[in-house]
Amino acid sequence: MNLKKLALGLVALTSIVTLAACGSSSSKDTLSKIKDKGTLTVALSPDYAPFEFQMLKDGKNEIVGSDVDLANEIGKALGVKVKIQAMDFNNVLASVTSGKADIAISGISADPDRAKSYDFSDSYYTANNVIVVKKEHHDKYATIADFKDKKVAAQKGSVQEKVATNQVKGASLVSLIKTGQAINELKNGTVEGVVLEEPIAKSYISANSDLALSGVKLDSSDTDSYCVAMPKKSDKLKKEIDLVIKKLKATDAISQSVEKNFKLAQSAK
């Protein structure tokens, strides 16, 4: 009987130790988890030149861009390797929730709804919203009223969906997974405009001589400021990332990176 009690006691003790160990692991902050594994997994959607896009380098397809440059600077500051996870934009934030990615850097705006579910870094870049139209229709679409009863596209899951809905009154929103799809729909005449951030819009226009910026002025508030997204309660990680962003902005390194990658994107087309 005593041996049986001893055995049961040992089993119970083992269970307690195991549970304690699991609890300790799960309670680790995001920064510690990243440093323990030695890798920072970054989610992004590589169809947003000059921030993230694909190009051939030495015969290999690589993901490059100013957001990739930022990710590498963060990895360097944390002393870990950077692993890029490419996916559709509407899955980028979800990958952070599921744990498939540690952070997301993909031209993400920290709007109030997103801030309920994620922590965000300080802003590293601010872009204006614009509408891209066919060049031949530039004069036809000079005001928001001109888009009444017309179709306007935006990328699914992006802030530009809300901009199109809230600001381009009277137009019908067409949500598409990739920005390139929206541009193709515009060129094909399926939609009359595409709502984009200005740097991305200019990148597409420079590669498509039949496209132009409309004369419409959209409101571009703080929700159009790009931030790094991370899981809730990532205070220590946010502090480290904010330090990196502060240093890069102080030397104008981010703007220089955007300009460098804009030129790189054009040479890759």
Side-chain angles (χ1 to χ4, degrees), residues 28-42:
K28 276 190 176 181
D29 62 88
T30 311
L31 179 60
S32 295
K33 290 177 182 177
I34 292 168
K35 288 192 172 184
D36 284 350
K37 66 179 180 176
T39 304
L40 175 70
T41 303
V42 182

Side-chain angles (χ1 to χ4, degrees), residues 7-18:
L8 289 172
L10 289 172
V11 170
L13 181 60
T14 302
S15 299
I16 292 171
V17 171
T18 301

Side-chain angles (χ1 to χ4, degrees), residues 47 88 153 155 175-188 191 194 204:
D47 62 342
D88 291 335
Q155 187 173 35
S175 297
L176 297 165
I177 293 176
K178 294 185 179 295
T179 305
Q181 288 178 292
I183 293 297
N184 286 336
E185 293 296 288
L186 174 61
K187 290 169 72 71
N188 293 335
V191 300
V194 180
Y204 277 106

Side-chain angles (χ1 to χ4, degrees), residues 7 39 46 60 69 72-73 90 92 105 108 144 177 180 189 225 234 267:
T39 304
K60 295 182 179 179
D69 291 345
N72 287 331
E73 289 296 327
N90 58 320
V92 167
I105 311 179
I108 300 169
I144 288 177
I177 293 176
S225 296
S234 296
S267 67

Side-chain angles (χ1 to χ4, degrees), residues 12-101:
L13 181 60
T14 302
S15 299
I16 292 171
V17 171
T18 301
L19 287 171
C22 290
S24 175
S25 174
S26 63
S27 64
K28 276 190 176 181
D29 62 88
T30 311
L31 179 60
S32 295
K33 290 177 182 177
I34 292 168
K35 288 192 172 184
D36 284 350
K37 66 179 180 176
T39 304
L40 175 70
T41 303
V42 182
L44 55 73
S45 177
D47 62 342
Y48 243 46
F51 296 95
E52 43 263 329
F53 57 99
Q54 300 183 61
M55 68 174 294
L56 285 175
K57 293 181 72 174
D58 300 324
K60 295 182 179 179
N61 191 37
E62 289 191 21
I63 296 173
V64 296
S66 55
D67 279 353
V68 177
D69 291 345
L70 174 57
N72 287 331
E73 289 296 327
I74 294 171
K76 189 187 301 181
L78 300 183
V80 298
K81 294 180 179 179
V82 173
K83 180 182 178 182
I84 300 297
Q85 289 268 45
M87 60 193 70
D88 291 335
F89 185 77
N90 58 320
N91 292 324
V92 167
L93 286 173
S95 71
V96 175
T97 302
S98 67
K100 291 181 179 178

Side-chain angles (χ1 to χ4, degrees), residues 221-241:
S221 61
D222 290 340
T223 59
D224 303 304
S225 296
Y226 297 164
C227 304
V228 178
M230 61 203 88
K232 273 293 187 184
K233 299 181 180 179
S234 296
D235 296 354
K236 292 181 180 179
L237 177 60
K238 172 177 163 53
K239 183 177 180 181
E240 293 294 329
I241 292 176

Side-chain angles (χ1 to χ4, degrees), residues 51-235:
F51 296 95
E52 43 263 329
F53 57 99
Q54 300 183 61
M55 68 174 294
L56 285 175
K57 293 181 72 174
D58 300 324
K60 295 182 179 179
N61 191 37
E62 289 191 21
I63 296 173
V64 296
S66 55
D67 279 353
V68 177
D69 291 345
L70 174 57
N72 287 331
E73 289 296 327
I74 294 171
K76 189 187 301 181
L78 300 183
V80 298
K81 294 180 179 179
V82 173
K83 180 182 178 182
I84 300 297
Q85 289 268 45
M87 60 193 70
D88 291 335
F89 185 77
N90 58 320
N91 292 324
V92 167
L93 286 173
S95 71
V96 175
T97 302
S98 67
K100 291 181 179 178
D102 300 306
I103 62 174
I105 311 179
S106 196
I108 300 169
S109 301
D111 66 25
D113 288 338
R114 289 172 175 168
K116 294 174 184 177
S117 303
Y118 304 93
D119 281 349
F120 286 95
S121 70
D122 291 342
S123 167
Y124 63 87
Y125 192 87
T126 300
N128 295 321
N129 288 308
V130 296
I131 303 178
V132 179
V133 296
K134 282 186 175 182
K135 184 180 286 186
E136 62 185 280
H137 294 160
H138 179 266
D139 295 336
K140 181 179 179 181
Y141 296 109
T143 69
I144 288 177
D146 294 332
F147 285 97
K148 185 178 180 181
D149 299 325
K150 305 298 182 182
K151 292 181 179 179
V152 173
Q155 187 173 35
K156 187 176 180 63
S158 70
V159 165
Q160 283 62 49
E161 276 189 311
K162 295 181 180 179
V163 172
T165 300
N166 297 334
Q167 296 190 43
V168 191
K169 301 290 187 179
S172 299
L173 172 65
V174 177
S175 297
L176 297 165
I177 293 176
K178 294 185 179 295
T179 305
Q181 288 178 292
I183 293 297
N184 286 336
E185 293 296 288
L186 174 61
K187 290 169 72 71
N188 293 335
T190 307
V191 300
E192 299 301 319
V194 180
V195 179
L196 291 170
E197 295 98 326
E198 191 169 14
I200 290 87
K202 286 183 175 179
S203 180
Y204 277 106
I205 289 170
S206 67
N208 296 272
S209 59
D210 57 336
L211 301 181
L213 291 180
S214 75
V216 174
K217 300 296 183 183
L218 296 174
D219 175 46
S220 297
S221 61
D222 290 340
T223 59
D224 303 304
S225 296
Y226 297 164
C227 304
V228 178
M230 61 203 88
K232 273 293 187 184
K233 299 181 180 179
S234 296
D235 296 354

